[in-house]
Amino acid sequence: MVGWLGVLAFAACLLVRMVAPYPRWDLLACLLVVAAASGYWVVRVRGAAASGGGGDRVRYWWPRRRVTGACIAVPVLFVTSLLAGTSAESATEELLRIRAGDPTIAPVEIVEVHDVRRYEDQSKVRFRSHVSVTPAEGDTERDEQSRMQGEVELRQPAKAGDLVWGLYSPDAPQRGAILGPERDLKALIQGGPSTLGYVALAIIGLSVLGYAAVGLFTRNSQPLAASFQDARDRVRRARVRVAAVTAGRHLRRNSKVKGGWDRSSPCPALRLTSGEETQDFFVDRCLEPQALAAELVGRTGRLYWQTPAPDQAAASDETAAPDDPARVSSAVLVLDDRPDDLRYVYGEVSGGLHGPGLPSETAPESPYKAAQPVYAVGPYAIWHPGSFRPVTVGLTAALLAAALLATGAGAETGYGGPGLLWVVGPLIFGAPILGLMLTARRVTVRLRELQLSTGGLEAQDPQAKREAAS
């Protein structure tokens, strides 16, 4: 959370002051906060993976709003990198020369067009013209000495007599003029958001408000009690032992796909035993299976799940296959071999409407006790260098790219030239995304290997099985 606040502060500094002398110490301070928070998180998670537990206890499992969080992170990183690149591109020698005098922002008149270049931007035709301008007001002579040169971008070719907004120094017209929308020119001198800044502010604001709305109106990250308090009479439990760690795929009900079922991605699973019965318990979120095995194999506990309401059971049709073992329901495993330090694992189990086929009984109490809270096993993510190295490298590259931009990389008044800007700028957004994609691929490959080596469950479409049997 602190790291993301640093990212938002980085964007806020770019919105308030789009152009400032390099190095940008305000931006570097924000990046220092991001680096410190990220370093603390890495040390904490790696330490938890090595010791099998976490120092800071929490009642919450990894929030199930992972997709929502990604939908916020992607636009925030994108607009932040876009603002950083635009800020570096706007810091020109011409701007420094104009700001060295007594700059003003006023309408100017185009008196001569030297060159016109046509280009297309997102299916929109634009014309960039090199022109000579003169102040539209306050100068009646308009001799050659009051003429200033600059470039203007319009939707049609510029022509003599057109009025545009210009930023220039009246006492030194030889320094040229910067032409563009009034709001963008004011942002260069007076600070505040430009047109792009207002768009970025709207995107970030809507993203944050959207996440807050999801958190306010959903219960996906509520304490463990929220899953069972609404229907105490339908909560069942079974005494189990963790025999091994495996991986597998189950089915989810999805009316949009053929057959009504959608096969999930591979995910880690705990192989639970109760007497002669065995059941795979799919662990919620992506944990590192090896660290999970070192922490949980051989431990005992109680598996809690909730059977559906009678009206839901009656509403299940033949397509839903209510008694098919591929059907899954939410469950929680509370480890009880350490009475003073209860831990839980949240996930799903197969077994139709009535849950897994394990010897069970009606649970006399909720698995969550207010007087003795239970905590998630380890932090929400358990580190594994082999799987998570790509995203680590991606985030590090993005942080270094942002630091380079904050010191003036790619800016005309900095170092490296515009070519470096086109290399460094996209890294802020692209490196984390590429790292996440490679990490997801590595995790999937590792889980499939674990599934094959341990004989993990591979759920089949119930309708397809019935058709094959007939």
Side-chain angles (χ1 to χ4, degrees):
M1 179 60 71
V2 175
W4 280 109
L5 289 177
V7 173
L8 293 178
F10 185 91
C13 290
L14 290 171
L15 289 170
V16 174
R17 288 199 311 165
M18 186 171 70
V19 177
Y22 288 107
R24 292 283 302 266
W25 298 111
D26 52 346
L27 301 182
L28 290 173
C30 297
L31 294 176
L32 181 61
V33 173
V34 175
S38 302
Y40 171 78
W41 183 84
V42 169
V43 171
R44 175 174 174 263
V45 173
R46 296 192 70 166
S51 62
D56 296 332
R57 298 179 177 181
V58 292
R59 283 199 183 103
Y60 300 89
W61 194 251
W62 187 357
R64 299 173 67 88
R65 297 189 296 270
R66 178 176 59 176
V67 175
T68 306
C71 292
I72 294 175
V74 168
V76 168
L77 286 177
F78 175 73
V79 298
T80 301
S81 61
L82 192 60
L83 287 174
T86 303
S87 175
E89 189 178 21
S90 300
T92 62
E93 294 287 352
E94 184 182 22
L95 177 62
L96 288 183
R97 289 194 299 267
I98 294 174
R99 292 180 62 171
D102 187 13
T104 185
I105 299 173
V108 294
E109 180 180 341
I110 298 175
V111 294
E112 185 178 355
V113 179
H114 303 286
D115 180 44
V116 178
R117 299 187 301 275
R118 180 183 184 275
Y119 70 97
E120 293 186 6
D121 181 16
Q122 296 180 353
S123 301
K124 295 181 180 179
V125 178
R126 300 280 183 173
F127 296 89
R128 185 170 295 167
S129 306
H130 181 211
V131 298
S132 290
V133 298
T134 189
E137 299 177 359
D139 189 349
T140 58
E141 297 182 359
R142 299 193 182 181
D143 54 13
E144 291 295 329
Q145 293 183 354
S146 66
R147 287 194 175 191
M148 301 164 289
Q149 292 193 4
E151 285 195 348
V152 62
E153 183 179 303
L154 301 171
R155 294 182 180 179
Q156 65 279 337
K159 59 182 182 296
D162 288 347
L163 293 179
V164 294
W165 283 93
L167 167 64
Y168 59 95
S169 180
D171 56 346
Q174 70 276 8
R175 296 174 182 174
I178 299 176
L179 310 177
E182 180 186 13
R183 179 178 296 169
D184 294 352
L185 298 179
K186 288 183 177 180
L188 293 176
I189 299 298
Q190 303 172 4
S194 61
T195 303
L196 176 62
Y198 279 107
V199 174
L201 189 61
I203 293 176
I204 293 177
L206 290 176
S207 299
V208 174
L209 289 177
Y211 187 79
V214 172
L216 182 63
F217 294 107
T218 63
R219 291 167 31 180
N220 289 335
S221 290
Q222 292 299 312
L224 189 58
S227 300
F228 298 93
Q229 282 183 340
D230 295 340
R232 291 288 188 88
D233 57 330
R234 292 189 282 109
V235 178
R236 299 189 64 82
R237 72 178 183 182
R239 182 78 176 174
V240 296
R241 176 179 176 274
V242 181
V245 172
T246 181
R249 297 201 294 176
H250 57 73
L251 296 178
R252 292 184 182 277
R253 188 77 174 91
N254 188 353
S255 59
K256 297 181 180 180
V257 300
K258 183 179 179 180
W261 293 93
D262 190 13
R263 187 175 287 105
S264 70
S265 300
C267 60
L270 301 178
R271 186 152 292 165
L272 307 178
T273 60
S274 179
E276 300 296 328
E277 301 295 333
T278 301
Q279 179 65 237
D280 283 353
F281 172 63
F282 297 99
V283 178
D284 187 49
R285 302 294 148 248
C286 183
L287 300 182
E288 166 50 38
Q290 292 181 355
L292 195 65
E295 172 70 14
L296 298 178
V297 170
R299 298 184 64 175
T300 59
R302 288 184 172 87
L303 181 69
Y304 293 80
W305 68 92
Q306 181 176 305
T307 59
D311 56 342
Q312 295 178 351
S316 298
D317 54 14
E318 183 180 357
T319 305
D323 297 326
D324 194 284
R327 189 184 183 97
V328 297
S329 57
S330 298
V332 62
L333 172 64
V334 179
L335 306 170
D336 59 5
D337 54 348
R338 300 176 187 174
D340 297 332
D341 186 22
L342 292 180
R343 298 281 172 157
Y344 77 90
V345 181
Y346 187 80
E348 295 176 326
V349 290
S350 303
L353 290 177
H354 301 290
L358 300 174
S360 62
E361 61 181 359
T362 302
E365 79 284 339
S366 168
Y368 176 88
K369 302 177 182 178
Q372 186 181 9
V374 293
Y375 302 97
V377 174
Y380 61 81
I382 298 182
W383 189 265
H384 186 273
S387 296
F388 295 94
R389 186 176 291 114
V391 71
T392 306
V393 173
L395 291 173
T396 303
L399 188 63
L400 291 177
L404 288 175
L405 282 178
T407 58
E412 188 177 325
T413 57
Y415 59 91
L420 183 60
L421 177 62
W422 284 100
V423 174
V424 174
L427 282 178
I428 302 177
F429 170 71
I433 303 301
L434 180 60
L436 286 172
M437 293 172 61
L438 293 177
T439 294
R441 179 176 177 81
R442 285 196 177 195
V443 169
T444 300
V445 170
R446 289 173 60 82
L447 290 176
R448 285 177 177 172
E449 293 175 351
L450 180 63
Q451 180 183 5
L452 293 175
S453 63
T454 58
L457 177 64
E458 180 69 24
Q460 301 295 325
D461 188 336
Q463 184 174 353
K465 290 193 298 183
R466 289 195 297 270
E467 292 177 354
S470 61

